[in-house]
Amino acid sequence: MSKNLRELSRRKGIENNLFNKMGALAQETGTVSDADLKRLSEEFLMGDANAFGVATFYDFMKPENKGKKAYVCNGSACLCAGTQNQVQEALEEHLDVSEIGHMTCLGRCHENGAFHYDGKNYSAKSSVEISQIIKYGMIKHEDNYHVESCCAETLTGKFEGLDFLKELIKKTLKRTPEQCLAEVQDSQIRGRGGAGFPMGIKLKSAKDTPADMRYIVCNADEGDPGAYSDRYLMEKQPFLVLFGMIAAGYAIDSNWGILYIRAEYPDSAVIIQEAIDKLVALGLAGENILGSGFDFHFKIIRAQGSYICGEETALLSSIEGQRPEVRIRPPFPAQSGLFGKPTVVNNVETLAALYYIFKTSGKEYAKLGTEKSKGTKLISLDGFFHNPGIYEVEMGTSLDIVINKLGGGFNAPVKAFHTGGPLGGIVPVHKINELSIDFESFANAGFLLGHATIVCIPEDFPMIEYLEHLFEFTSVESCGKCFPCRLGSKRGQELLTKARTEENYQIDKELFNDLLDTLEQGSLCALGGGLPLPVKNAMMYFEDELKEYFK
């Protein structure tokens, strides 16, 4: 995107944020009016076309969203659970069909039947429950899920309290930034969102890049269907996340921490803001923290419904008030990120892990896990388990232990499960005993650990429909910048739909494989580039089921 637009946005400052203003204006009606867009484009000197391009990109600002009152979750977990048609029908008893939209995903994968109404998320599987919500608001929207650790509680332990946090921050700020950076490097922690990139390398790269401003950005918009571990941390362990941002900021001489939080998690933004306010009131955030001379400010950016904003460069463009298209790299965000300044982007779980690292030590953290995958990992189990919920396990833990011991096994016949979100691997159940929870185990077997979500695909759910769902998801969520993703995902969806619905039509397998290779090699980011992985997994392990659709 334009460097000039980036600079114009920077001059307004992160506190006077164009994107947040657009979102606030869309709150009442579901979209931003033409008059408001015109006013904002003049205020920020962004131009009418740029402002329109931004507002019409996001699910919860575009004109088609106007008048929507409820949203039904269409994420992979709810799709496979088969609950959403009943939810849609129950909502239609009270609302016009034009007033009902869709969200992906609401993070209620442990119980399904998820929908959003009047600013809150619910799970309700009966028309009676939904009627009570719509008419009387009688059912509490808070949900409960099981949380358990079978190892060191680096992320799921009981929070020691604000007095303990104060001492930990004081202890951290008495050290040098170099010592704090070394602590992270000693831990060997890798990013918990997808590719598993070492956090210490990102921090050092940003620190070594000359600049008058640096940023720590918490990517809380990694909306992988099936994953609700980030939501757990923000809503149940917010001070772990905020401490991690403070420690990372101090290590690289950054004075700003920005949390980009999913629109689909409305409670998360409220709870995080309340936690920030407490830190500021206690002098643990803001100006001159505990008299140390170190300033660190927080800013929440409320996302507006776009999966591509989980990709770090699209996220940064979004914060700048630009259309969230993926940027070409290099330069990487650690050298030129938000407003062109060095920026470290990590997801919620990665930043939250710094609490344990600084509470104990980096070397202590590195004792957990395997040689190349250190520490612990949060696992999200969906509603097909006897014991759905969040589980913290040490890296290297057998997948069999996770599924059959912690999860209690499947409560219905399951043929495969999708790990790591829509771009992760589709793992047949006969592979359970061959895998462990670490990056290398999954990669070496041709899968992807990613967010470590587990979305089950039941035996009676046609694999052709699941692949069609993945292509449709990618097509809808593509930023459109590169042709392989923008066009290839739609062509793939069309081929699968035609093969599934038309008699005597079969997909040319050579053509289809060529499409997958083009997506994999030609896409700018992991949205288009990652889609072929689960598709190839399915074609390999479920060839007998799919062969009637190919020639």
Side-chain angles (χ1 to χ4, degrees):
M1 298 298 286
S2 169
K3 292 182 179 179
N4 292 333
L5 294 177
R6 183 171 300 140
E7 179 60 22
L8 286 169
S9 181
R10 185 194 68 79
R11 290 179 183 179
K12 286 288 186 179
I14 190 63
E15 292 182 279
N16 186 22
N17 184 261
L18 171 61
F19 181 64
N20 260 5
K21 286 190 171 185
M22 283 185 175
L25 289 169
Q27 198 77 32
E28 186 174 342
T29 64
T31 189
V32 189
S33 70
D34 291 342
D36 284 332
L37 272 182
K38 178 73 173 176
R39 179 177 57 78
L40 286 176
S41 69
E42 291 175 355
E43 178 185 346
F44 284 83
L45 303 177
M46 299 292 276
D48 294 349
N50 288 306
F52 181 81
V54 172
T56 55
F57 184 91
Y58 297 90
D59 289 344
F60 310 126
M61 289 201 291
K62 60 188 179 184
E64 298 93 313
N65 188 54
K66 188 174 182 179
K68 293 289 188 292
K69 294 181 179 179
Y71 299 87
V72 178
C73 179
N74 62 353
S76 305
C78 282
L79 173 74
C80 289
T83 56
Q84 302 313 88
N85 285 340
Q86 296 94 312
V87 172
Q88 177 78 27
E89 291 170 3
L91 287 172
E92 288 179 10
E93 293 178 9
H94 307 279
L95 303 171
D96 187 82
V97 68
S98 65
E99 297 175 316
I100 304 171
H102 292 92
M103 278 186 172
T104 312
C105 128
L106 302 185
R108 289 179 172 244
C109 319
H110 55 291
E111 53 188 2
N112 309 120
F115 69 98
H116 179 95
Y117 176 73
D118 195 26
K120 297 180 177 63
N121 293 341
Y122 297 91
S123 296
K125 300 182 181 68
S126 75
S127 59
V128 174
E129 289 178 313
I130 292 175
S131 178
Q132 289 178 325
I133 291 168
I134 302 297
K135 288 183 176 180
Y136 313 112
M138 291 178 64
I139 297 178
K140 292 183 178 180
H141 75 284
E142 292 85 357
D143 65 325
N144 294 302
Y145 45 86
H146 184 68
V147 179
E148 182 178 333
S149 175
C150 63
C151 60
E153 296 178 329
T154 71
L155 297 164
T156 57
K158 183 179 179 181
F159 177 60
E160 292 93 336
L162 291 172
D163 288 340
F164 182 90
L165 179 63
K166 179 179 180 179
E167 292 304 312
L168 183 58
I169 292 176
K170 184 185 296 184
K171 173 185 170 184
T172 301
L173 298 185
K174 282 184 177 179
R175 307 170 77 177
T176 66
E178 290 73 23
Q179 288 173 326
C180 291
L181 175 58
E183 204 71 75
V184 179
Q185 292 172 321
D186 286 346
S187 74
Q188 300 178 55
I189 184 172
R190 295 167 62 181
R192 271 27 185 174
F197 191 81
M199 186 185 193
I201 293 178
K202 278 189 182 182
L203 290 170
K204 188 174 190 310
S205 180
K207 182 178 178 65
D208 290 347
T209 301
D212 59 353
M213 179 69 76
R214 297 179 182 85
Y215 296 98
I216 299 293
V217 174
C218 176
N219 183 351
D221 196 49
E222 290 188 312
D224 289 339
Y228 51 103
S229 50
D230 285 356
R231 183 167 77 89
Y232 158 72
L233 289 169
M234 287 189 285
E235 296 177 11
K236 306 298 184 183
Q237 303 279 20
F239 293 108
L240 273 61
V241 181
L242 298 178
F243 171 82
M245 296 181 72
I246 293 171
Y250 181 65
I252 70 165
D253 190 26
S254 166
N255 303 122
W256 274 99
I258 300 161
L259 299 107
Y260 189 95
I261 301 178
R262 302 187 69 216
E264 294 85 352
Y265 293 171
D267 290 341
S268 296
V270 173
I271 292 170
I272 287 286
Q273 186 60 62
E274 290 173 350
I276 290 171
D277 293 342
K278 288 180 181 178
L279 292 184
V280 173
L282 292 170
L284 304 181
E287 298 286 337
N288 190 23
I289 299 175
L290 297 175
S292 65
F294 175 62
D295 305 336
F296 196 78
H297 306 275
F298 288 102
K299 175 69 175 181
I300 291 176
I301 303 292
R302 293 183 178 235
Q304 294 298 325
S306 173
Y307 180 77
I308 195 62
C309 288
E311 196 282 331
E312 61 180 2
T313 63
L315 181 154
L316 297 176
S317 291
S318 179
I319 295 174
E320 293 169 352
Q322 302 194 64
R323 187 179 170 89
E325 293 182 346
V326 174
R327 300 179 187 177
I328 296 172
R329 289 164 288 191
F332 293 92
Q335 288 86 45
S336 178
L338 185 62
F339 305 129
K341 304 297 182 180
T343 304
V344 172
V345 184
N346 277 115
N347 85 328
V348 177
E349 186 177 344
T350 313
L351 288 161
L354 295 190
Y355 181 84
Y356 182 87
I357 290 169
F358 280 81
K359 184 174 70 171
T360 56
S361 71
K363 292 181 178 178
E364 191 68 24
Y365 184 86
K367 291 178 183 178
L368 301 169
T370 67
E371 181 183 355
K372 294 183 179 180
S373 297
K374 301 295 185 182
T376 67
K377 185 76 191 73
L378 295 182
I379 313 290
S380 303
L381 301 186
D382 74 358
F384 275 100
F385 288 89
H386 284 292
N387 306 321
I390 299 288
Y391 293 88
E392 182 176 15
V393 302
E394 188 172 346
M395 284 284 201
T397 299
S398 164
L399 183 61
D400 177 63
I401 290 176
V402 172
I403 287 178
N404 292 312
K405 183 178 179 181
L406 300 176
F410 305 118
N411 58 30
V414 168
K415 62 184 173 186
F417 48 90
H418 200 171
T419 62
L423 312 177
I426 292 179
V427 184
V429 291
H430 73 262
K431 287 282 185 179
I432 290 174
N433 292 324
E434 301 175 25
L435 295 169
S436 58
I437 304 297
D438 60 82
F439 297 111
E440 286 67 40
S441 173
F442 274 72
N444 292 338
F447 306 117
L448 178 75
L449 179 65
H451 234 122
T453 61
I454 296 183
V455 172
C456 296
I457 304 174
E459 284 187 358
D460 60 359
F461 196 98
M463 189 59 73
I464 187 78
E465 288 188 27
Y466 194 78
L467 298 185
E468 187 181 348
H469 159 71
L470 295 181
F471 272 97
E472 180 185 17
F473 176 85
T474 303
S475 174
V476 170
E477 298 295 346
S478 175
C479 78
K481 185 167 184 175
C482 67
F483 285 171
C485 180
R486 186 173 88 195
L487 302 179
S489 57
K490 188 62 179 177
R491 296 293 87 83
Q493 178 196 348
E494 290 171 346
L495 287 170
L496 291 167
T497 301
K498 190 173 182 179
R500 182 178 60 82
T501 59
E502 293 188 14
E503 289 187 26
N504 303 320
Y505 176 78
Q506 290 181 304
I507 301 169
D508 185 311
K509 199 167 186 179
E510 184 178 353
L511 173 68
F512 193 71
N513 285 330
D514 184 58
L515 172 64
L516 294 177
D517 289 341
T518 302
L519 277 161
E520 193 169 50
Q521 298 174 34
S523 298
L524 281 175
C525 80
L527 181 55
L531 173 62
L533 175 64
V535 178
K536 288 181 177 180
N537 290 156
M539 293 179 69
M540 175 185 292
Y541 294 110
F542 296 92
E543 183 179 11
D544 287 345
E545 181 183 339
L546 293 170
K547 63 183 179 183
E548 66 177 288
Y549 303 104
F550 292 88
K551 63 180 178 180

